[in-house]
Amino acid sequence: MPHASASETSASEMGGSGVQEVDVAVVGAGFAGLYLLHRLRRAGFTAVALESADDVGGTWYWNRYPGARCDIQTTDYSYTFDPELESAWKWSEKYATQPEILRYLGFVADRYDLRRDIRFGTQVATATWDEAAHRWLLTTSNGAPVCCRTYIMASGCLSSPKPPEIEGVDDFKGEIYFTGRWPREEVKLAGKRVAIIGTGSSGIQVIPMIAEQAAHTTVFQRTPNFAFPAHNGPSPVDRVALLEKDRNDYREQARWSLAGVPLARATEFSWQLSEAERRDRFEKALAAGDLVVMLTQLWADQGVEVEGNALAADLIRERIRSIVKDPETADALTPHDHPFGSKRPCLETNYYTTYNQPNVTLVNLRQEPIKSITASGIKTDRRTFDVDVIVFATGFDAMTGAITAVHPITGRGGKSMSDAWAGGPQTYLGLTVDGFPNLFMVTGPGSPSVLSNMVVSIEQHADWVVDRLIAMREAGFTAIEATETAQAGWARHMADCSALTLHRLANTWYTGANVPGKAQGVMPYTGGVGPYRAICNEVVSRGLLGFKLTGPNPSTGSGQAVAEQCNDGEIVRLQPDVRLVLNMLADMNLPPLESFGAEGARDFVAQFNATRPAGRPVGEVLDGMLDGAEGPLPYRLYRPATGGDGEGGPHPIVVYFHGGGWVLGDAQSDDPFCRDMCRRTGMIFVSVGYRHAPEHRFPTAAEDGYAALRWIAEHAAELGGRPGPLLVAGWSAGGNIAAVTCQLARDRGGPPIAGQLLVCPVTDCTFDRPSYNENATGYFLTRSLMYWFWDLYCSPADRTDSRVSPLRGKLSGLPPAFVATCEFDPLRDEGIAYAEALAAAGVPVEQLQARGHFHSSFTMVDVVLTGVDGRVKMAEALRRFAGQGLQEAMPRAAE
Ligand code: NAP
C-alpha cells in the first residue's frame, strides 16, 4: 500500500517539527522521478518524491485512454541504467500499450523498493527558497511540508492538460472525458454518439478505438497532422538482434545520437537523389513504421530546408489520399499548413481507414469553427451535432505548464518563476534557472526532452544532477545556481539551433502556440541528444562553467564556511554546426597542414574536399583558359540556369578568386561556394586559377588576378556576360586578391568594377590584432598556418606593398564593398579594419560580422548551414552592386 509506507517514512523523518526534512525532494513518480529516487538513494541522499496520483507512472498513469501506446520502439523506450533490469523485463510488442508500460514502471518501483519514499496523492502547493538556510520549503496539499536542500521537478513535459477553451462546456449534460485524465474505470461507449475534439497524437490513437465501439463518432479537427503506420506487432527482429549483439554499444550509440535512438541522420541531400530513389527511401521508412526513421532517414535536408521537406511531405500526403475514399474528407485530413516534422508527427493504426467507416464523420473546423458546446452537443457555425459523450484530446500546456502553472515557485529575493518566465522559459541547459538555486528540472524547456527518446534524456539529466549533488557534497557547497551570462548565452545557442530547423515555422505546442496568451518560441533544444550531452559534460569539465557555487551561510552557524566559486561564461559561443565541424576536426587529430609541405597540403585539401557534399546544380559549368600575367591560366565558369536580364542571360559576371593562402586551392576547392552564389545571385561566376606560391611568389597572384580581370572584361560577351562593369569577389587569400585587383583596376585604367565582395579577406601583414591571438588555434585556420602562407608567398621586405597588404594602399575611389568577417577567425580584425578604412576613405561599405562563425563557415556550403544567411546577404549585395533587384530563386536554409 503506497500511502501506508509513505506516511511511515514521513513520520520518522519529521523529527517532531511537523516538517519532513530531506536532502532532496522530487516532484513526480514517472520515468524521471523513479530513476532519480533510485540514484539519489544509492548516492546516500535522503529523498522523497511527491506524486499527485495514487500510484507510480506519471504520464502513463494519467493517459490511459483506449489506444494509448508509446511511439518510440520499446527496445529503446526502456531504462538502461541496470543491465539486470533489462534482462528481467520483456516487452510484448514493438509499441507497448499504456497498461504494459504502467506495469513496467510498477515493476521498477517494486524491484528497487522505491514506493517507500513516495508520498502519493500529494501535490506541492508552494515552493520557496530560504536563502539563509540554503534550503527549499515546500508546502503540500496532503501531509507535512517538506524542507529540502535540493528541489527537482520531474513533473513531465506533457502533464498539465490544457483547458477546453470552448464556451459552454459546463452546460453539456452528457459525459465528458479528457484523454490526458482518462478514468481508471471502464468507459462504456457502445451504442453512444461520441464527439472527439483534437487530432494530435492522442486523438489519432484514440479515434479508431472509439470508432470501433461507438454508434457514431464525430471528429472535430482544427489542424490535420502528418501520420503514418505504426506497423505494431512483435519488436522487429533486426532491431532486437542489433540490441542483443552488443547491448552496451547500442545504448551508448543511442546516448550520443540525434534523437536518443541509435540512428544517424541521412547524409545525402534530396537533390542528390533521383525521384525513384527518394520514393524507395520513403517506402522503406514507411515499412519501418518508426517516427525516428521517417524523421531522419529520408534525406539530409528534410528537416532543415523547405524544399527538401516538401518532397517528404508530398509523399505522405499522397498516401493519405490513397487511403481515404471520400475526396473531401481526404483533403481535410491532408496537412498543408506546416512542414513535416515541425509539428509532432504521429504513428497511426487504422486511423485513416477509420474515416471510410459509414459511422464516422469528420468536421473540418477550418471551414466551420465550433461556436459553443450546448446541453446536447456541439454547435459549429453551420450545424449542430447532438452527442452523448465528448472526448477532449486537446493537448497540454506543454513543457512549462507542469512547472509554473501547478504551484508558485519563489526563488532568491522573492523572485517568482512565473514572472521570470513571463516572456517564455529561460533556463541554463534546460536544467536550471538563474535566481532559483538548487532547483533542477528533468527534461525542462531548453533541453532535448520532447524531441528525443524521453527515457534516454531522463537518464542523462538524472545522472548529471545527482553527480553534481555528490560533487557539491564532497566539496562542501550547499547552493548551485546558473549565472545570468550563462543563461543568456544558452538562449542565444537555443535560437541558433532552432534557426537550423523548421520548428519555428509551425504553430505547435513546441512553441507554446497551442495555449492562448502563452509566450512563443521553440521550447525544446533542437541541437540533438548527443551534442547536448557533450555540452553538459563540457560544462563540468570546464569547472562548472556558468554556475555559481556557494557554501553554507556562516551567519546561520550551520556547517563550515566554504569559499564561493563562480566560473562565469557561455558554454557555446560557436554556431551549432560550426561546433560540430570543429569537434569532428579535433577528433581527427590531424597534423598541422603546414607540416605536409606545399604539395602534401594541396593533396590533403583535395582529398578532404572530395568528402564534401557535391555542389548543387547550376545551368552550366565549363572549364576554359584565359590569359594571365605571363601565360594561360585555367578558369571555371558557372552559369545560372535562368535569370539574367533576359531568359537565359546575359548575366552580370563575377570574377572570383578562391582561398588557400596563395599556396593551396583551385576551382574545385571553392566549387560549392561558387555554385551556391551563382544560384543565389543569378550571375556568372568565373573562378580564376591564379598561380600559387612557393613556385610563384609575390606579386604573381596579384598580377594574375588583375590580368584575369582584364581578359574576362574583354571576353565578357563571349562568356555570355552582360556588357558593363564586372564584379569581383574572393574568400580568404582570394579576398586579398579581389581587394588588390580592385585597387589595380582603379590605378591602371580599368576595367570598371561595380562592386567587390570580400569574404574573410587577408588585408594586412601584421599579426598583432587581437583576433590573431584570440583565435590562434582551434578554429582550423591557425596563426601558424597563416605565418607559413605568408612566408611562402611573400618576403618580409615586400609585405607592406599594397599588392599584398591592400589596407596599406590608397583606398579612395574604390568600388562599393561588402566585407564579411567571422568571429572565430584570426583574420577577423584585419577584415574589419579594411571595411572601416574603406568607409573612412568614402567608399560605400557594408559589413557582415558573423557571430559564432569560423574562417570556412561561408564556403562550407551544405555543411555549415548557419552560413546561409550570410550568403543570402552577400548575394543581395552583389545584386545591388549590379543594379539588380532581389533574386527570388533561392530560399534561405530554413524558410
Ligand atoms: P496535441 O498534439 O497538442 O493535439 C491537440 C489537438 O487538439 C490538436 O489537433 C489541436 O488542434 C486540437 N485542439 C486544441 N484545442 C482545441 C480547440 N479549442 N478547438 C479545437 N481543437 C483544438 O495534444 P496530444 O494529442 O495530446 O499530444 C501531445 C503530445 O503528447 C504529442 O505531440 C506527443 O508528443 C505526446 N503523445 C505521445 C503519444 C505516443 O504515441 N506516445 C500519444 C499521445 C501524446 P491544433 O493543432 O489546431 O491546435
Side-chain angles (χ1 to χ4, degrees):
M1 284 289 291
H3 286 297
S5 63
S7 56
E8 278 160 25
T9 311
S10 56
S12 65
E13 288 176 354
M14 279 177 211
S17 64
V19 174
Q20 184 177 6
E21 294 269 351
V22 285
D23 295 324
V24 185
V26 175
V27 183
F31 265 102
L34 293 180
Y35 179 50
L36 268 167
L37 270 188
H38 171 65
R39 272 238 46 198
L40 287 164
R41 204 189 265 171
R42 283 185 37 166
F45 292 106
T46 56
V48 64
L50 303 161
E51 168 58 63
S52 59
D54 62 5
D55 202 352
V56 299
T59 287
W60 297 106
Y61 175 93
W62 297 109
N63 287 272
R64 46 181 81 221
Y65 58 85
R69 290 175 185 273
C70 59
D71 59 4
I72 292 284
Q73 295 198 27
T74 44
T75 38
D76 303 274
Y77 198 70
S78 308
Y79 287 120
T80 67
F81 64 87
D82 180 354
E84 286 179 17
L85 170 64
E86 291 205 47
S87 43
W89 182 268
K90 279 265 166 298
W91 294 104
S92 66
E93 288 179 283
K94 177 180 170 190
Y95 298 112
T97 58
Q98 173 271 338
E100 186 173 6
I101 302 172
L102 197 58
R103 276 199 303 282
Y104 172 69
L105 291 170
F107 173 78
V108 170
D110 292 337
R111 186 178 174 92
Y112 301 98
D113 186 21
L114 300 175
R115 291 180 199 272
R116 69 181 157 88
D117 285 328
I118 306 173
R119 281 172 56 183
F120 291 102
T122 305
Q123 269 180 311
V124 181
T126 60
T128 310
W129 172 247
D130 178 344
E131 179 64 14
H134 280 184
R135 293 183 82 83
W136 283 92
L137 185 67
L138 315 178
T139 58
T140 68
S141 64
N142 177 18
V146 177
C147 180
C148 55
R149 173 76 70 214
T150 304
Y151 183 36
I152 307 180
M153 305 291 296
S155 40
C157 298
L158 294 154
S159 43
S160 182
K162 197 171 77 96
E165 304 144 4
I166 300 172
E167 216 178 282
V169 179
D170 292 340
D171 300 337
F172 183 60
K173 299 277 184 262
E175 301 160 55
I176 287 186
Y177 300 101
F178 288 82
T179 48
R181 288 288 179 273
W182 200 262
R184 288 187 93 150
E185 54 282 3
E186 192 194 349
V187 175
K188 294 200 167 86
L189 298 173
K192 293 183 182 162
R193 296 162 303 168
V194 182
I196 304 164
I197 303 178
T199 51
S201 300
S202 305
I204 284 175
Q205 285 186 335
V206 81
I207 287 164
M209 304 299 285
I210 289 178
E212 268 179 21
Q213 308 169 44
H216 196 96
T217 302
T218 310
V219 177
F220 293 82
Q221 172 194 271
R222 195 161 61 185
T223 313
N225 228 326
F226 286 100
F228 38 88
H231 296 311
N232 199 22
S235 285
V237 282
D238 53 346
R239 181 73 71 98
V240 174
L242 200 62
L243 172 67
E244 284 174 357
K245 191 169 134 218
D246 187 342
R247 219 166 247 273
N248 285 343
D249 181 58
Y250 184 97
R251 298 297 187 211
E252 199 54 16
Q253 280 189 43
R255 291 180 188 120
W256 292 98
S257 67
L258 203 64
V261 177
L263 285 170
R265 203 196 318 243
T267 51
E268 298 83 3
F269 289 82
S270 59
W271 40 268
Q272 293 174 302
L273 302 165
S274 68
E275 199 186 329
E277 286 168 329
R278 286 199 297 267
R279 189 170 285 276
D280 184 53
R281 283 180 178 220
F282 175 73
E283 294 298 338
K284 285 195 176 114
L286 207 58
D290 185 305
L291 273 181
V292 185
V293 170
M294 189 63 96
L295 284 166
T296 62
Q297 304 297 292
L298 298 180
W299 32 87
D301 46 333
Q302 69 179 99
V304 291
E305 288 194 353
V306 203
E307 289 166 329
N309 186 276
L311 294 166
D314 281 346
L315 290 166
I316 304 177
R317 293 184 190 118
E318 193 182 295
R319 176 177 175 269
I320 299 171
R321 286 193 295 268
S322 75
I323 300 173
V324 181
K325 292 190 178 135
D326 173 49
E328 200 183 328
T329 307
D331 202 39
L333 286 166
T334 306
H336 283 288
D337 73 335
H338 62 277
F340 166 59
S342 60
K343 193 171 184 146
R344 173 68 141 72
C346 313
L347 289 181
E348 56 99 4
T349 302
N350 302 331
Y351 177 63
Y352 293 111
T353 50
T354 295
Y355 291 96
N356 294 335
Q357 287 180 216
N359 62 341
V360 176
T361 307
L362 179 72
V363 179
N364 182 350
L365 299 182
R366 296 283 177 210
Q367 288 173 356
E368 46 175 320
I370 296 180
K371 286 199 81 161
S372 64
I373 291 178
T374 64
S376 62
I378 297 177
K379 206 169 146 191
T380 69
D381 66 1
R382 287 191 195 165
R383 293 179 277 178
T384 298
F385 297 85
D386 286 340
V387 293
D388 307 306
V389 179
I390 301 179
V391 173
F392 287 97
T394 42
F396 301 86
D397 181 357
M399 308 215 67
T400 55
I403 298 171
T404 55
V406 178
H407 61 269
I409 303 177
T410 311
R412 196 165 35 76
K415 188 171 178 180
S416 129
M417 182 72 90
S418 300
D419 289 349
W421 283 10
Q426 302 296 319
T427 72
Y428 183 35
L429 306 172
L431 273 162
T432 60
V433 185
D434 165 36
F436 297 83
N438 294 5
L439 171 73
F440 293 96
M441 296 163 299
V442 174
T443 63
S447 72
S449 55
V450 292
L451 293 178
S452 69
N453 173 0
M454 288 297 287
V455 190
V456 167
S457 290
I458 283 169
E459 286 189 337
Q460 186 248 336
H461 266 190
D463 287 340
W464 194 93
V465 172
V466 178
D467 289 346
R468 298 296 68 72
L469 298 184
I470 295 170
M472 282 172 65
R473 181 175 60 190
E474 280 165 8
F477 290 116
T478 50
I480 178 169
E481 184 183 345
T483 69
E484 207 179 327
T485 315
Q487 188 162 290
W490 191 247
R492 257 190 304 280
H493 176 57
M494 286 274 296
D496 289 342
C497 290
S498 65
L500 275 171
T501 73
L502 303 177
H503 288 295
R504 67 203 160 73
L505 302 182
N507 293 326
T508 66
W509 60 258
Y510 290 142
T511 65
N514 67 328
V515 176
K518 187 166 172 173
Q520 303 218 6
V522 179
M523 291 188 286
Y525 178 76
T526 55
V529 164
Y532 174 80
R533 178 181 291 266
I535 291 167
C536 291
N537 292 352
E538 193 182 322
V539 165
V540 177
S541 68
R542 290 172 65 185
L544 272 193
L545 186 67
F547 283 104
K548 183 176 163 189
L549 296 156
T550 36
N553 188 339
S555 63
T556 63
S558 59
Q560 233 179 325
V562 177
E564 247 185 40
Q565 173 191 312
C566 182
N567 188 6
D568 204 1
E570 288 173 54
I571 185 65
V572 184
R573 291 180 55 210
L574 293 167
Q575 290 293 329
D577 43 6
V578 170
R579 181 182 159 91
L580 291 181
V581 168
L582 289 174
N583 284 347
M584 193 192 74
L585 288 167
D587 288 347
M588 289 163 80
N589 208 11
L590 299 167
L593 202 51
E594 57 273 30
S595 68
F596 292 117
E599 269 309 320
R602 287 171 193 153
D603 290 346
F604 174 82
V605 169
Q607 276 176 26
F608 188 79
N609 287 342
T611 64
R612 295 177 308 190
R616 299 203 184 199
V618 295
E620 182 188 24
V621 179
L622 57 90
D623 290 332
M625 299 300 287
L626 53 76
D627 294 339
E630 293 170 350
L633 296 175
Y635 71 82
R636 177 167 296 173
L637 182 144
Y638 301 85
R639 193 186 314 284
T642 55
D645 287 343
E647 186 66 21
H651 306 85
I653 296 182
V654 181
V655 181
Y656 180 78
F657 301 104
H658 65 76
W662 307 285
V663 175
L664 317 169
D666 50 24
Q668 190 54 33
S669 63
D670 289 29
D671 180 79
F673 182 65
C674 287
R675 285 172 184 268
D676 188 80
M677 291 300 291
C678 167
R679 286 160 58 91
R680 285 182 195 285
T681 54
M683 296 179 182
I684 291 173
F685 268 62
V686 182
S687 182
V688 176
Y690 58 89
R691 287 170 294 167
H692 288 150
E695 296 85 347
H696 304 281
R697 285 167 63 84
F698 172 83
T700 307
E703 293 299 343
D704 275 353
Y706 177 64
L709 178 81
R710 287 197 70 105
W711 186 91
I712 293 166
E714 283 157 17
H715 296 81
E718 278 163 52
L719 297 173
R722 194 180 72 174
L726 301 174
L727 297 120
V728 172
W731 167 59
S732 192
N736 172 271
I737 298 168
V740 169
T741 299
C742 289
Q743 295 191 10
L744 295 179
R746 176 199 57 196
D747 298 340
R748 296 181 184 176
I753 296 174
Q756 49 181 325
L757 168 65
L758 311 179
V759 185
C760 307
V762 181
T763 69
D764 197 18
C765 55
T766 60
F767 308 106
D768 52 3
R769 292 188 174 84
S771 58
Y772 250 101
N773 290 321
E774 289 167 17
N775 306 317
T777 57
Y779 303 106
F780 195 55
L781 177 64
T782 62
R783 181 171 58 189
S784 65
L785 184 57
M786 279 309 300
Y787 290 163
W788 183 66
F789 285 148
W790 271 99
D791 287 344
L792 291 189
Y793 181 51
C794 194
S795 62
D798 290 329
R799 290 188 187 181
T800 53
D801 189 308
S802 61
R803 285 174 299 166
V804 69
S805 291
L807 186 56
R808 294 173 189 247
K810 179 182 144 201
L811 300 180
S812 58
L814 288 173
F818 185 97
V819 183
T821 51
C822 292
E823 184 180 3
F824 295 97
D825 181 358
L827 304 181
R828 177 192 70 205
D829 292 342
E830 65 193 76
I832 293 172
Y834 195 63
E836 287 172 354
L838 285 175
V843 176
V845 179
E846 283 172 71
Q847 271 202 67
L848 168 66
Q849 297 183 13
R851 179 179 59 79
H853 282 286
F854 79 132
H855 187 67
S856 305
S857 280
F858 295 120
T859 48
M860 290 187 94
V861 177
D862 292 321
V863 177
V864 177
L865 298 179
T866 50
V868 170
D869 271 351
R871 289 197 303 276
V872 168
K873 292 192 176 95
M874 293 173 199
E876 286 170 359
L878 286 175
R879 289 185 65 83
R880 269 196 306 279
F881 296 155
Q884 296 190 310
L886 295 184
Q887 162 102 342
E888 287 191 356
M890 283 285 289
R892 286 166 199 254
E895 277 181 5

